[in-house]
Structure formats: C-alpha cells, structure tokens
C-alpha cells in the first residue's frame, strides 16, 4: 500500500503522523511511504531522517493526496485537504466529528473511508486517545497556573501558594486519563485539587494513586456548582467517546465564580464541557467571559510537538500497519477495535454518536463490511 503523510496545516500544529521508526516498519513490510517535504520539522525530524528510513519525500500535499491509498495525519483534515481527498482513499487521523458538521458532510461527500483515532476502542479503553490525553491533562494544569498570573489576566494566585498563604484551588471535571494527569501536575505544584467524576469505582482508584492534597468528589450538578464557586482554576476533561461533550458548566454559573479565575476546557475537541467555550489557537489561546478567563486550544498537545508525536505514533503505528497489511475492510472484520474506528465509509456515517449529533442517517459498520 502507498502511505501518504502530509504536513499538518492547522494553525500552530507541529506534530506529524509518522516517525522514521514508523517509516522503517512500513518499508520492511513492503509498503511505500510518501512524506511531504518538511512535514516533520516541527517535531524535530528532518527529511534526511525520513529518507534514511526508506521514505520518499515529495514537494506538495497535492502529490500526497493524488498518490496515497492511505493518508496518515494527526489532526482532522482542513477544508483545502478535504477537497483533495479521493473516493475509496483511507483517512486515518483524529476526526472529532460530533461538533463539526462541515467536516462530517465534507468527508461524506468525498467518498473516503475515514477511520478516527479517538473512537478505536480496546477493552473499553481508547488507546489512540490516551497518550494525547496524558499530554493535554498535564499541560492543562501548567496553562491554568500560567494564566492565573496577574499579567496574563488571572487572579494573581500562585498554584502552590507559599508559607502562610493558601495554595490555589484546582477543580478537575472528569477523572479519566486527562483528569488524572491534570491532577498529578496540579498536586505536584502544591495546589489543592478536587477531582469530580460520576464513577465511584474510578474515584476509589484515584483516591489510591493521587496524593493527599487531592480530594475525590462524586460529580453532579449541585457539587459542580458548589465547587467552582471558590475555584481558582477549573479544568474540564469530560469525554463520551465519539459524541459531543455535555455542557457541565452553564453560562449563568460563571457569575458565581471568582473574577480572574481560569477555565481550561480540554474537551473542546469534542465541543467542550463549558457552555461559553469555543475553540482557540496557540497563537490566541484565551478570552474572557464574565470575568473568567477561558483557555480552549483545540490542539493542545501540538505545543509539545516532539513529545506528542512520538507518544502518538507509538500507539497509532500498530493499527496503521494492520490497515496497510490487510486493507481497511479485512482489518475491521478481524479487529473490533478498528471497526469501532470507522466513522464515515464511502458516504455513510458509521459512528452512531456522530450521526445523532448531526441528525444524519446512521449505517451500522457491519453493513459496510458485508
């Protein structure tokens, strides 16, 4: 199979869909890898490293989209990339379709087989989302602490406090991978941390692994309302696989929060868990609503591109190799995890939460695999 890796064009996105080690794995199995010139520069990977691993460097994205049978990316295709997609081409990347009607319709019309990293599921876990959730969770607490500084619009509260002065209060919505990692970093800085989750078993686990400056609380509307009132930072990490994120913090709740407090909405890729959230970029990451600073960068791990690229590709490569070796249909038939990743197949929506989010017809993946 011919694998194509274009340079990411989303603003400030420096990750890349494959590393030289991945190129070598594909090459050893007889596949051809085309990589757009300078695609890996943002992650500290030179064209020469790719060439030495067996890749062919091409000058333009058009050459990638014209010749590749499978496109391997990091972020969802931008409008100019959707226009270059070909019927029957395989697109393997993060898609986050539930909050993105335009992209969903674009992929539907293109005739591609779109397989989403974020809905591939193994034993109830999302192995291709978890490494980026780790990065985003850790980064969320760093960003919250940074923007709490007065010069950047915050209250002027130091996350860990100092002797004789209270530390900051961090409230984390969701105790999954991102929430756990946000709590690790926030507690490591010395903040007072509250983690809210609806799963009692998960809360028991977090109680065991997190330090004593972290408290685990059962999540419901009342506890969310009460805990955010005196929070210095709120980090939203809520996730329902493939679906649009529920709005746990309504606009009217902001008026009860401290002026200069910070919200970091990690779940913005799936629509965000705060009613007043909208996607931002690394170039312009924050805005203020009712005195509360919002950080809603939709590709947070892109800021730490080298770490993120290697973490992501460690997880995506085995699945990409299966798809290349077997073809998408056989791979999905043999491996339920890959079948779960099917979001749009040749004009049909095969991920139920995406179809529901946009009120579009849903086609069970079993039907496209017949």
């Amino acid at each position: 199979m011919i694998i194509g890796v274009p340079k990411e064009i989303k603003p400030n996105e420096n990750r890349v869909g494959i590393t030289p080690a991945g190129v070598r794995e594909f090459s050893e199995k007889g596949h051809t890898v085309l990589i757009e010139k300078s695609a890996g520069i943002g992650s500290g990977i030179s064209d020469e490293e790719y060439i030495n691993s067996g890749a062919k460097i091409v000058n333009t994205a058009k050459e990638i989209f014209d010749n590749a049978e499978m496109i391997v990316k990091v972020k969802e295709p931008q409008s100019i990339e959707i226009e270059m997609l070909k019927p029957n081409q395989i697109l393997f990347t993060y898609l986050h379709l539930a909050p993105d009607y335009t992209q969903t319709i674009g992929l539907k019309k293109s005739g591609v087989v779109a397989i989403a990293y974020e809905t591939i599921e193994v034993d109830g876990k999302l192995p291709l989302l978890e490494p980026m959730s780790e990065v985003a969770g850790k980064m969320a607490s760093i960003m919250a602490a940074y923007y709490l500084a007065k010069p950047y619009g915050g209250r002027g509260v130091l996350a860990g406090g100092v002797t004789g002065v209270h530390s900051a209060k961090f409230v984390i919505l969701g105790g999954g991978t991102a929430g756990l990692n946000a709590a690790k970093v926030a507690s490591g800085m010395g903040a007072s941390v509250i983690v809210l989750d609806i799963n009692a078993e998960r809360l028991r686990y977090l109680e065991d692994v997190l330090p004593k400056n972290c408290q685990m609380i059962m999540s419901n509307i009342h506890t969310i309302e009460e805990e955010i009132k005196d929070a210095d930072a709120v980090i939203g990490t809520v996730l329902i696989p493939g679906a649009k994120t529920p709005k746990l913090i309504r606009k009217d709740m902001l008026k009860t929060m401290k002026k200069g407090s910070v919200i970091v909405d990690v779940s913005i890729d799936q629509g965000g868990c705060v009613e007043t959230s909208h996607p931002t970029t690394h170039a312009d990451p924050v805005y203020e609503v009712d005195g509360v600073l919002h950080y809603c960068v939709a590709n947070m791990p892109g800021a730490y591109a080298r770490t993120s690229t290697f973490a992501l590709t460690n997880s995506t490569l085995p699945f990409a190799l299966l798809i290349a070796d077997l073809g998408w249909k056989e791979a999905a038939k043999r491996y339920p995890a890959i079948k779960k990743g099917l979001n749009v197949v040749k004009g049909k929506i095969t991920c139920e939460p995406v179809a529901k989010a946009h009120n579009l017809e849903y086609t069970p993946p079993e039907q496209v695999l017949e």
Side-chain angles (χ1 to χ4, degrees):
M1 187 178 282
I2 301 172
I3 315 301
V5 182
K7 183 177 173 66
E8 297 293 324
I9 59 173
K10 187 162 185 161
N12 301 109
E13 181 51 73
N14 291 297
R15 289 173 289 179
V16 63
I18 198 169
T19 62
V23 170
R24 187 168 178 186
E25 292 288 328
F26 277 111
S27 299
E28 291 283 334
K29 287 173 167 275
H31 304 295
T32 300
V33 183
L34 307 178
I35 295 182
E36 186 180 350
K37 185 180 179 182
S38 301
I41 295 299
S43 294
I45 304 169
S46 68
D47 290 345
E48 186 179 6
E49 288 177 85
Y50 282 127
I51 292 167
N52 291 341
S53 296
K56 181 183 176 185
I57 302 295
V58 301
N59 289 319
T60 65
K62 188 175 186 304
E63 291 173 80
I64 297 286
F65 285 86
D66 280 351
N67 295 291
E69 295 166 87
M70 176 163 68
I71 305 288
V72 177
K73 281 176 45 60
V74 177
K75 289 306 290 177
E76 72 280 355
Q78 305 301 290
S79 56
I80 192 170
E81 293 174 314
I82 291 175
E83 290 171 11
M84 291 191 282
L85 288 166
K86 305 282 190 295
N88 301 317
Q89 212 165 34
I90 302 165
L91 175 65
F92 191 39
T93 188
Y94 286 120
L95 293 173
H96 300 294
L97 293 176
D100 193 340
Y101 179 78
T102 302
Q103 187 201 167
T104 303
I105 295 302
L107 293 180
K108 199 171 180 296
K109 288 179 178 176
S110 72
V112 298
V113 176
I115 305 173
Y117 292 164
E118 72 273 11
T119 60
I120 283 182
E121 192 175 315
V122 178
D123 297 329
K125 295 186 176 181
L126 306 172
L128 308 195
L129 191 61
E130 283 182 354
M132 295 304 92
S133 295
E134 281 190 67
V135 174
K138 289 181 175 180
M139 187 179 166
S141 288
I142 294 170
M143 292 297 103
Y146 178 83
Y147 282 104
L148 275 172
K150 197 69 177 174
Y152 310 120
R155 297 190 66 229
V157 176
L158 184 64
V162 291
T163 304
V165 181
H166 280 297
S167 58
K169 177 181 175 180
F170 277 51
V171 173
I172 298 169
L173 305 179
T177 301
L180 168 61
N181 282 276
K184 281 181 181 178
V185 171
S187 60
M189 288 190 287
S192 172
V193 180
I194 304 291
V195 181
L196 299 172
D197 199 279
I198 59 173
N199 185 328
E201 197 59 41
R202 181 65 178 178
L203 292 176
R204 288 190 190 96
Y205 168 76
L206 295 174
E207 191 86 45
D208 285 341
V209 300
L210 288 171
K212 294 303 177 189
N213 54 333
C214 294
Q215 253 189 301
M216 274 36 82
I217 306 289
M218 185 60 75
S219 183
N220 53 53
I221 294 171
H222 176 74
T223 53
I224 291 171
E225 285 179 341
E226 289 303 307
E227 294 298 339
I228 67 173
K229 282 178 183 177
D230 61 348
D232 297 292
V234 177
I235 297 173
T237 70
V238 180
L239 173 72
I240 298 173
K244 200 167 181 178
T245 313
K247 305 297 183 190
L248 300 186
I249 297 179
R250 302 185 309 271
K251 186 178 189 303
D252 62 282
M253 294 182 190
L254 298 188
K255 292 183 174 62
T256 70
M257 295 177 66
K258 295 176 179 177
K259 301 301 179 189
S261 57
V262 177
I263 290 174
V264 178
D265 198 341
V266 177
S267 57
I268 193 65
D269 267 340
Q270 291 292 136
C273 64
V274 181
E275 188 180 0
T276 46
S277 289
H278 63 73
T280 60
T281 66
H282 290 294
D284 188 15
V286 295
Y287 60 92
E288 178 262 323
V289 179
D290 291 338
V292 178
L293 214 56
H294 290 53
Y295 177 100
C296 304
V297 175
N299 60 327
M300 289 175 68
Y304 296 94
R306 187 169 176 86
T307 297
S308 297
T309 286
F310 282 87
L312 176 63
T313 55
N314 283 344
S315 298
T316 58
L317 180 62
F319 293 95
L321 286 167
L322 286 173
I323 295 166
D325 289 346
L326 300 171
W328 73 268
K329 187 175 279 191
E330 189 60 30
K333 284 180 178 177
R334 290 197 204 178
Y335 297 94
I338 293 175
K339 184 169 79 171
K340 287 258 191 183
L342 297 174
N343 273 221
V344 184
V345 177
K346 300 180 182 180
K348 299 180 187 299
I349 307 294
T350 52
C351 178
E352 191 169 10
V354 171
K356 281 184 176 177
H358 302 303
N359 199 25
L360 295 169
E361 184 181 349
Y362 167 63
T363 301
E366 290 79 12
Q367 288 187 22
V368 299
L369 295 175
E370 290 174 353

